[in-house]
Amino acid sequence: MAADRGAVGSPPRRSAPSSSHQRQRDKMQIPDEKKSTYCDLPIKQQRRKLVQAVKDNPFLIVTGRTGSGKTTQLPKYLYEAGFSKHGTIGVTQPRKVAAISVAQRVAEEMNCSLGSLVGYQVRFDDCSSQDTAIKYMTDGCLLRHMMVDPDLTKFSVIILDEAHERTLTTDILFGLLKKLFQEKSPNRKEHLKVVVMSATIELVGLSAFFGNCPVVDIPGKIFPVKEIFCNLIGPKDKENSSYVNAVVKVTIEIHLNESAGDILVFLTGQSEIERTCELLFQKAESIDYQYDVQDHSIDGLLILPLYGAMPTEQQRRIFLPPPPGIRKCVVSTNISATSLTIDGIRYVVDGGFVKQLNHNPRLGLDMLEVVPISKSEAMQRTGRAGRTSSGTCFRIYNQDFWDQCMPDYMIPEIKRTSLTSVILTLKCLAIHDVIRFPYLERPDEKLILEALKHLYQCDAIDRSGHVTKLGLSMAEFPLSPNLTRAILKAASLDCEDLLLPIAAMLSVESVFIRPGEAEKQEEAELRHQELSSQAGGFNDFATLAIIFEQCKSSPSPSAWCQKHWIHWRCLQSAFRVEGQLREIIRKLKQQPDFPRESFDGPRQEILRRCLCTGYFTNVARR
Ligand code: CDP
Ligand code: MG
């Protein structure tokens, strides 16, 4: 357990042996009655109709409230109806956590081990085998798969899930699949079927896009949810982060004053969630239950964080019912709005904000920004409180915030992020005319041209816009084009060893443990500063490389991590990623025409040159 100290996502571990939360958590197990709940999900009634509709139509849209059983049950129905005889049933998810946790759940329901009949594949982690009939994967993985198998010959059904999220990759997949059917590719198998699933029916144009394909709606019941504006945040608070404190206040008040039922809190990201959990722990611990709780008996609050980068083992306990008399409180990113359903929630605390990737065309950079959620998003969050009984949604903001700051809908990602990676993918798929590609919603032509320019400057495409040999090599890497370009430069100089640790460390979540308690925080910061000063001060990349190397060469890497307040689990992932990147390079280098260069100079100079080759857009002249 020692290595688990402060693992990302674990709520701040308290040293006192009185850690009742910990003990409660350890007691949680999957009860039998829970295992059978999937038998009465709303989708069950539509089973026959759904299977028939998939048989009869190349494209089908399935909509239904979150929690109706779309993600976990439909793939199973199709498997049982024999679809997998013609190939794998592939289900895409925009988020890695959802892909893994849903696969786990379905494997459990089908009584098989994960990676056998039911498996998953996400970036840098493939848990599937020859026998895998139902494969959950991120939409990015399917897109990459299409580069080696553009006709999807290995699949019998492709289910594009969570379509309402409108991620960039899902949008591109829409176009690619439409094209696949339009072109009547000679390799496309007769029986390939495409199902698009969405939690909302707002996808008006989608059926028309797929040749007016049928839409099956799964009616699901929802109990009434009371909506309360707590008025703690107004339009003026759009820019600051006081929402963390507001969320904590509302949550504790619910715990003290409302009758039994679990709480789901919506926040923006990992650090805010960890901070909130820490504050909740402190507050919940100081509650004197004898005096504070009025008319009912609540023993305690079980606080569980949930966010994208969370380790798999920790995600599972989110779904388990709390021990009797304990109220569960899940503090989550937007992932719980539609991607994952947690049962037993009666209270929702809506923090009002979300992290969104926006492209700044002036800087040429994608930036993760905290922005107010849309009204449609707020309604999704509200709905989470009414799944198993009537509930209440507490919105920390006021009516003015709702009216003035929250847009009706989110702008789809394709209209607000850099298109460099996907345009390169399209080029590798021999889709030359990226402007006339069948987009569900056409991105701004400026964004397309900017991406083309960037790719040209990276030597990934030539003057006429065709992908170059280098571009093809770049597409092999599941990394940003900038980083990939730097790695390939290093490989051509035969010194990829310099760059791979950095690339691997950039591909995993932050390795630095930031404990909540003040004194520990100081110690951790001191340790981190020591590491950074070995790297010559403020050089982030060099610090990452030093952490990687020192840990790897240490006789006891996990102890090394503990000593330096570094997440051992993240470093393990980084080691794995480094190995996989090394393997890609090894294969590329076997090609006879792999470019070779030479440069005599100190290692640091070579490293700087490689980084400049990749990150040339971030260079300034002094
Ligand atoms: O996709 P949709 O929102 O329609 O529902 P789903 O994800 O298939 O979830 C159906 C039910 O499965 C939920 O109500 C949860 O009870 C359960 N589930 C779970 O317990 N653990 C998971 N990892 C995923 C789903
Ligand atoms: Mg779902």
Side-chain angles (χ1 to χ4, degrees):
M1 275 315 260
D4 189 29
R5 177 189 69 178
V8 186
S10 62
R13 181 74 69 79
R14 293 145 339 137
S15 43
S18 69
S19 174
S20 58
H21 297 291
Q22 186 61 38
R23 269 183 276 119
Q24 289 152 11
R25 218 178 292 141
D26 296 342
K27 272 194 269 172
M28 290 198 293
Q29 279 172 359
I30 296 191
D32 283 342
E33 77 266 21
K34 164 91 189 206
K35 283 186 187 155
S36 58
T37 49
Y38 58 83
C39 299
D40 30 77
L41 288 168
I43 196 171
K44 183 89 188 289
Q45 255 104 68
Q46 312 274 326
R47 179 178 180 145
R48 257 219 239 134
K49 184 172 163 194
L50 279 166
V51 170
Q52 196 56 46
V54 178
K55 274 190 185 143
D56 295 344
N57 300 283
F59 290 103
L60 179 72
I61 300 174
V62 177
T63 65
R65 271 186 201 294
T66 308
S68 50
K70 300 182 295 299
T71 310
T72 51
Q73 307 307 308
L74 184 63
K76 232 167 53 177
Y77 295 168
L78 296 179
Y79 168 75
E80 280 155 10
F83 279 85
S84 61
K85 279 191 216 105
H86 306 295
T88 315
I89 299 167
V91 191
T92 68
Q93 295 290 318
R95 297 179 175 100
K96 190 174 131 187
V97 197
I100 299 174
S101 103
V102 167
Q104 236 163 17
R105 166 78 184 186
V106 176
E108 231 162 63
E109 287 180 15
M110 294 179 73
N111 243 327
C112 64
S113 61
L114 191 59
S116 56
L117 190 60
V118 183
Y120 69 83
Q121 187 180 4
V122 301
R123 192 170 75 143
F124 297 124
D125 185 7
D126 184 356
C127 181
S128 65
S129 62
Q130 285 290 318
D131 308 328
T132 302
I134 301 177
K135 182 159 156 182
Y136 289 90
M137 52 194 161
T138 51
D139 45 16
C141 273
L142 181 63
L143 189 58
R144 302 188 64 76
H145 178 91
M146 287 190 83
M147 283 202 284
V148 282
D149 177 21
D151 298 318
L152 293 169
T153 53
K154 297 223 162 47
F155 291 91
S156 57
V157 186
I158 293 289
I159 302 179
L160 298 176
D161 201 359
E162 308 288 325
H164 57 271
E165 294 247 345
R166 297 289 308 276
T167 65
L168 174 56
T169 317
T170 306
D171 264 22
I172 295 291
L173 287 170
F174 284 157
L176 286 173
L177 288 168
K178 176 172 171 150
K179 235 168 124 43
L180 187 60
F181 281 79
Q182 268 173 348
E183 283 171 4
K184 288 251 176 286
S185 147
N187 294 327
R188 185 174 62 76
K189 294 192 301 182
E190 266 310 295
H191 25 253
L192 183 68
K193 306 287 181 192
V194 177
V195 182
V196 178
M197 297 205 291
S198 164
T200 60
I201 333 177
E202 281 143 15
L203 294 161
V204 189
L206 197 63
S207 165
F209 181 76
F210 286 124
N212 293 320
C213 72
V215 180
V216 178
D217 182 39
I218 302 162
K221 62 170 182 262
I222 178 153
F223 296 88
V225 180
K226 205 157 83 185
E227 297 163 30
I228 296 177
F229 288 96
C230 301
N231 302 329
L232 296 170
I233 295 268
K236 282 207 294 294
D237 303 300
K238 223 173 105 178
E239 309 290 330
N240 68 32
S241 60
S242 54
Y243 57 86
V244 166
N245 290 331
V247 156
V248 171
K249 184 170 187 291
V250 173
T251 308
I252 290 294
E253 275 168 17
I254 296 173
H255 181 51
L256 289 179
N257 303 320
E258 302 289 333
S259 54
D262 296 337
I263 308 174
L264 175 60
V265 179
F266 283 104
L267 269 174
T268 45
Q270 178 173 347
S271 61
E272 294 85 350
I273 288 175
E274 285 182 343
R275 172 104 193 94
T276 304
C277 287
E278 167 74 10
L279 288 170
L280 281 174
F281 261 116
Q282 286 167 7
K283 295 245 170 96
E285 246 190 343
S286 64
I287 295 173
D288 184 342
Y289 285 95
Q290 281 215 294
Y291 297 103
D292 290 345
V293 182
Q294 279 128 29
D295 53 345
H296 51 92
S297 56
I298 290 281
D299 296 335
L301 192 62
L302 177 65
I303 300 154
L304 301 167
L306 171 61
Y307 47 78
M310 229 166 86
T312 327
E313 326 83 64
Q314 285 186 15
Q315 290 159 21
R316 313 190 54 150
R317 53 175 212 239
I318 306 290
F319 298 100
L320 304 178
I326 300 285
R327 194 199 289 275
K328 179 164 80 174
C329 172
V330 179
V331 186
S332 168
T333 57
N334 227 17
I335 187 166
S336 313
T338 56
S339 286
L340 291 177
T341 297
I342 305 157
D343 293 330
I345 300 294
R346 283 195 62 204
Y347 305 102
V348 163
V349 179
D350 176 6
F353 291 91
V354 70
K355 269 199 184 141
Q356 183 177 289
L357 201 61
N358 286 327
H359 188 66
N360 182 325
R362 202 172 54 80
L363 299 175
L365 285 177
D366 278 349
M367 304 206 288
L368 207 51
E369 293 172 317
V370 174
V371 297
I373 55 167
S374 67
K375 295 190 176 85
S376 125
E377 193 60 64
M379 291 319 294
Q380 283 294 337
R381 292 181 174 189
T382 306
R384 312 317 298 131
R387 239 180 56 79
T388 35
S389 67
S390 61
T392 314
C393 174
F394 295 84
R395 299 179 174 143
I396 64 159
Y397 40 88
N398 60 17
Q399 182 77 46
D400 285 348
F401 187 87
W402 172 278
D403 293 336
Q404 296 166 26
C405 304
M406 294 169 51
D408 289 342
Y409 300 102
M410 276 307 172
I411 304 166
E413 199 177 359
I414 198 162
K415 297 200 152 225
R416 57 178 159 82
T417 57
S418 157
L419 301 176
T420 314
S421 282
V422 282
I423 298 278
L424 178 59
T425 311
L426 291 180
K427 292 278 179 187
C428 291
L429 286 165
I431 293 167
H432 190 54
D433 189 349
V434 287
I435 294 187
R436 259 178 299 174
F437 178 75
Y439 298 98
L440 176 60
E441 223 170 313
R442 192 162 298 281
D444 192 343
E445 207 168 298
K446 261 196 263 157
L447 278 178
I448 301 182
L449 294 176
E450 188 193 298
L452 288 170
K453 185 172 132 202
H454 191 123
L455 289 172
Y456 176 64
Q457 288 168 335
C458 281
D459 301 320
I461 58 173
D462 62 20
R463 230 165 218 299
S464 59
H466 288 101
V467 67
T468 60
K469 190 88 203 1
L470 186 79
L472 285 172
S473 303
M474 281 174 67
E476 298 275 326
F477 290 84
L479 300 170
S480 77
N482 292 8
L483 190 53
T484 306
R485 183 68 191 92
I487 291 178
L488 283 172
K489 175 79 177 175
S492 71
L493 287 160
D494 245 344
C495 56
E496 62 270 20
D497 288 357
L498 286 175
L499 220 76
L500 288 185
I502 299 175
M505 294 287 272
L506 290 172
S507 305
V508 299
E509 69 247 40
S510 171
V511 296
F512 299 103
I513 298 178
R514 304 197 196 282
E517 295 155 59
E519 55 203 277
K520 288 194 177 158
Q521 177 82 42
E522 245 168 59
E523 192 200 318
E525 268 170 25
L526 209 70
R527 292 290 182 179
H528 296 161
Q529 269 164 18
E530 276 166 26
L531 289 167
S532 132
S533 64
Q534 288 174 42
F538 301 93
N539 192 332
D540 298 346
F541 281 4
T543 310
L544 291 179
I546 279 187
I547 294 173
F548 186 97
E549 304 293 358
Q550 287 197 3
C551 178
K552 191 153 197 181
S553 57
S554 156
S556 166
S558 68
W560 185 93
C561 286
Q562 205 171 359
K563 182 172 157 210
H564 293 90
W565 294 83
I566 297 291
H567 287 298
W568 167 226
R569 192 185 45 75
C570 297
L571 266 167
Q572 284 173 300
S573 310
F575 293 159
R576 246 197 336 267
V577 172
E578 197 243 12
Q580 292 185 19
L581 293 175
R582 191 177 290 280
E583 183 57 22
I584 300 178
I585 292 182
R586 194 185 61 79
K587 285 199 187 129
L588 284 176
K589 278 188 165 175
Q590 281 172 350
Q591 298 172 1
D593 52 351
F594 186 79
R596 304 275 176 181
E597 296 172 50
S598 64
F599 177 79
D600 279 332
R603 281 169 71 84
Q604 284 311 313
E605 175 62 23
I606 299 181
L607 177 61
R608 274 197 285 271
R609 274 174 186 254
C610 296
L611 286 173
C612 286
T613 311
Y615 290 88
F616 58 88
T617 44
N618 300 36
V619 173
R621 187 193 292 270
R622 187 154 69 171

